[in-house]
Amino acid sequence: MKKVLVLGSGAREVAIARSVSQSSIKNAIFCISKDINPQINDLCEDYLVCDVNDVASIVSYAKEKEIDLVIVGPENPLASGVVNALEKTGVGCVGPKKEVAMIETSKAFARMIIDLCCPEKNPQRKEFVSIAGVKNFMETLGGEYVVKFDGLMGGKGVRISGEHLKNLNEGLDYANEIIKDGGRFLVEEKLVGEEFSLMSFVDGKTCKHMPIVQDHKRAFEGDVGPNTGGMGTYSYGNHSLPFLKKEDVLEAQKTNELVAKQLLKHTGSPYVGVLYGGFMLTKDGIKVIEYNARFGDPEAMNVLSILKSDFLSVCISMVEGRLDKESVLFDKLATVCKYVVPVGYPNNPAKGFEVFCDQDDPSLFLASVMLKDKKLIACGSRTAAVVGKNKDIWKAEAFAEKGVSNISGKLFHRKDIGTEDLIGFRVKRMKGLLG
Ligand code: AMP
Ligand code: GLY
């Protein structure tokens, strides 16, 4: 009997808990998070309502319940050192130690690691803690730049010239805002191309790669509006994307392998967990946009919905360092995941309103909600995700739309994600860029 503790309570953690519950290895699921997710609760033996960054409470709960394995959903507990503390007490974790998770928690650290193992994957960039030299560097980049807060901002700390930043002054204003709060930031060359996510299971030595997924970070249809945690994702039955060649996929896989190896060399700690490479195919080849030290959200819903192998067995192999012996297979199906989010999300989201849906629907993944007087109440972040899967991506998209239409509340979603129009447009735009 494996006692598995899941940290976090979003849609990604619903996907994780469901996958564990479907394992052929006998298991009991426990969860810690600040709100009770009713879908995770249904799968759980016990649920502790607690801050996922409260390391001492997590460790004592794990001891009390004799937990065998902890799966860390979000990034913040990694940064708080929860894995370091749990491993000291002998509990295996799917998730890297704090010093290794810096690949996500510090954008400057990530760029440095990439410089050491695959420098050609980095854009031009410079780090700053003051305004000195910022304007000059923005001008050197021809006014085409990105300002990135160097820390965790839930995907919302990045602003792009010509989009969020209309002119150099707005770029400098954002830089000054970060400096005022005592923060560090990077100014990077603005890359142009198509983004994609490649996640790999890693046991410190071996990487087993997942299907490639494309996320949609912008809040509104047509890829406009502020950056969000991710509004939806799709993947193809061949586990690649229509604008990628076989060599591109292999190159992204190689990059994750090199980064995992470099992290071990640099920190002395093996990378154990899911390594998420955020890439962009540009006219100058594949570049790294960012690294995450966990499953992507929504990407987890795409890949776990089609994982053929036993997820708990894969997790145990990661922790025990024998992933090379594990076959990690996915169904050859396309997936489309769409998030419904509160009106006003991400800047000024509605909250406290009732959400109506069928909680028992296996294609529904509840996220930022809580139960109050038996009613489902939205808490303000992404509310729920729906996943469609099918051999035919357009059917998967139609299924996801139908699922979304069964959810009601003060919500909106991006109808364009996974549609023939949007994917066709992207493929054409990429062809144009590559010439
Ligand atoms: P990040 O939090 O680093 O993933 O950035 C959020 C989003 O900002 C990415 O998904 C990209 O759409 C965009 N972005 C980040 N860095 C760059 C860059 N150097 N060039 C162009 N877009 C970028
Ligand atoms: N989907 C982007 C992320 O999980 O950071």
Side-chain angles (χ1 to χ4, degrees):
M1 162 76 104
K2 284 278 173 194
K3 292 187 170 183
V4 182
L5 170 62
V6 177
L7 289 189
S9 62
R12 166 182 51 206
E13 289 74 26
V14 172
I16 290 172
R18 267 189 198 152
S19 299
V20 171
S21 74
Q22 287 156 5
S23 172
S24 62
I25 302 168
K26 205 159 172 252
N27 66 80
I29 300 173
F30 298 75
C31 183
I32 298 183
S33 66
K34 82 173 188 317
D35 294 308
I36 292 189
N37 181 313
Q39 287 181 323
I40 300 180
N41 199 31
D42 284 349
L43 299 170
C44 267
E45 177 140 329
D46 189 60
Y47 207 121
L48 176 70
V49 176
C50 166
D51 181 351
V52 288
N53 297 303
D54 180 348
V55 176
S57 300
I58 295 168
V59 170
S60 86
Y61 183 80
K63 270 195 205 149
E64 182 205 326
K65 299 290 177 193
E66 300 178 319
I67 298 295
D68 298 297
L69 180 76
V70 177
I71 306 178
V72 185
E75 60 277 24
N76 300 78
L78 298 172
S80 305
V82 72
V83 174
N84 303 56
L86 283 165
E87 284 189 355
K88 261 194 201 138
T89 67
V91 181
C93 295
V94 176
K97 286 188 184 156
K98 185 177 171 173
E99 57 274 23
V100 193
M102 274 179 74
I103 193 72
E104 167 162 12
T105 59
S106 166
K107 291 183 187 292
F109 177 85
R111 292 296 180 208
M112 182 269 290
I113 291 291
I114 295 163
D115 262 351
L116 292 172
C117 60
C118 45
E120 72 290 352
K121 298 287 182 294
N122 264 338
Q124 289 187 64
R125 94 286 176 186
K126 258 191 182 162
E127 294 151 36
F128 296 95
V129 284
S130 79
I131 206 69
V134 173
K135 182 163 181 267
N136 195 349
F137 188 59
M138 286 174 173
E139 283 166 348
T140 311
L141 296 174
E144 297 287 321
Y145 61 86
V146 174
V147 181
K148 289 187 171 185
F149 173 75
D150 187 18
L152 292 180
M153 284 282 278
K156 295 158 207 152
V158 174
R159 298 207 192 152
I160 301 175
S161 70
E163 297 176 34
H164 314 99
L165 306 168
K166 296 279 173 268
N167 51 49
L168 219 57
N169 281 337
E170 285 192 17
L172 293 170
D173 285 349
Y174 181 48
N176 275 317
E177 223 178 275
I178 298 173
I179 295 163
K180 208 174 81 212
D181 293 338
R184 307 162 61 93
F185 61 98
L186 274 75
V187 177
E188 289 184 359
E189 165 193 2
K190 176 178 167 182
L191 301 168
V192 180
E194 278 307 318
E195 285 183 58
F196 61 95
S197 318
L198 170 69
M199 299 182 290
S200 311
F201 294 111
V202 188
D203 71 353
K205 311 179 291 288
T206 303
C207 290
K208 290 279 166 99
H209 306 293
M210 302 184 217
I212 289 186
V213 181
Q214 189 173 44
D215 189 13
H216 299 69
K217 292 251 164 88
R218 299 312 198 81
F220 309 127
E221 279 160 28
D223 291 326
V224 293
N227 272 328
T228 68
M231 294 294 289
T233 31
Y234 67 87
S235 67
Y236 268 62
N238 65 358
H239 303 160
S240 179
L241 293 173
F243 50 83
L244 294 175
K245 294 197 293 289
K246 212 172 187 158
E247 307 87 85
D248 298 324
V249 175
L250 292 173
E251 203 176 317
Q253 292 177 341
K254 184 81 202 161
T255 306
N256 279 7
E257 288 161 19
L258 288 171
V259 165
K261 210 165 143 190
Q262 189 63 45
L263 281 167
L264 172 59
K265 201 165 154 193
H266 192 83
T267 65
S269 283
Y271 190 102
V272 177
V274 173
L275 182 65
Y276 169 128
F279 298 95
M280 191 185 277
L281 177 61
T282 74
K283 67 174 174 30
D284 303 316
I286 288 175
K287 304 281 174 184
V288 172
I289 293 281
E290 64 164 348
Y291 262 97
N292 293 325
R294 51 170 173 83
F295 270 119
D297 184 354
E299 288 91 339
M301 278 78 88
N302 299 81
V303 296
L304 290 177
S305 294
I306 56 167
L307 179 63
K308 228 158 73 177
S309 307
D310 190 307
F311 178 61
L312 182 52
S313 174
V314 173
C315 290
I316 295 168
S317 291
M318 271 191 276
V319 168
E320 293 182 353
R322 46 180 184 74
L323 201 53
D324 56 331
K325 308 275 186 314
E326 186 80 33
S327 77
V328 181
L329 300 171
F330 294 85
D331 288 320
K332 296 253 174 218
L333 295 176
T335 64
V336 175
C337 177
K338 302 205 187 204
Y339 254 116
V340 290
V341 302
V343 168
Y345 175 82
N347 294 336
N348 189 21
K351 51 182 95 160
F353 59 89
E354 191 170 358
V355 179
F356 302 91
C357 61
D358 174 9
Q359 285 181 44
D360 297 326
D361 177 351
S363 66
L364 177 79
F365 299 75
L366 291 176
S368 174
V369 291
M370 62 174 184
L371 272 180
K372 206 171 165 190
D373 306 327
K374 295 199 177 148
K375 289 181 179 163
L376 205 56
I377 304 295
C379 301
S381 199
R382 292 175 292 179
T383 307
V386 178
V387 175
K389 55 179 180 175
N390 198 286
K391 275 197 182 118
D392 178 343
I393 185 162
W394 319 127
K395 285 190 182 150
E397 193 275 332
F399 184 95
E401 273 300 317
K402 178 134 195 315
V404 165
S405 72
N406 294 331
I407 308 171
S408 53
K410 267 196 220 165
L411 300 160
F412 76 97
H413 76 286
R414 279 187 60 169
K415 288 199 180 69
D416 60 348
I417 292 169
T419 60
E420 204 163 352
D421 276 359
L422 185 57
I423 298 176
F425 168 77
R426 290 187 172 172
V427 171
K428 214 167 131 192
R429 187 173 59 183
M430 195 67 234
K431 266 195 190 134
L433 261 179
L434 295 176

